[in-house]
Amino acid sequence: MQMTRQQYLALLTEGKAAHQAGDPSDACPYDRLGNAEQQFGYRYWLRGWQEARLEAEDRADAAVTAGQ
């Protein structure tokens, strides 16, 4: 399998959507210890999930700061 930028972006988006849906990070549908395709999916799905979490935390921090 050739891993492309489009697949990478799709996995990031999929991870972000999972976070927004309230899924925990361990709900990743890809296997961290699987073959190269599964590892690729795991790495970039999790990166998307983590980016969404950080964005949500930043928004929450900004709201708290603005309220002070």
Side-chain angles (χ1 to χ4, degrees), residues 1-66:
M1 171 193 164
Q2 183 168 346
M3 296 154 212
T4 65
R5 179 172 172 78
Q6 291 155 331
Q7 291 168 315
Y8 158 79
L9 294 172
L11 289 164
L12 283 178
T13 302
E14 186 181 330
K16 287 180 181 183
H19 180 271
Q20 292 171 349
D23 293 342
S25 63
D26 61 358
C28 180
Y30 303 97
D31 185 6
R32 179 175 64 93
L33 302 175
N35 61 25
E37 184 176 340
Q38 286 290 310
Q39 289 177 12
F40 180 83
Y42 176 83
R43 179 178 299 124
Y44 294 109
W45 184 96
L46 187 60
R47 185 171 291 170
W49 189 94
Q50 290 170 335
E51 286 179 8
R53 184 191 68 197
L54 290 172
E55 290 168 5
E57 288 174 354
D58 287 345
R59 282 192 303 272
D61 288 345
V64 168
T65 303

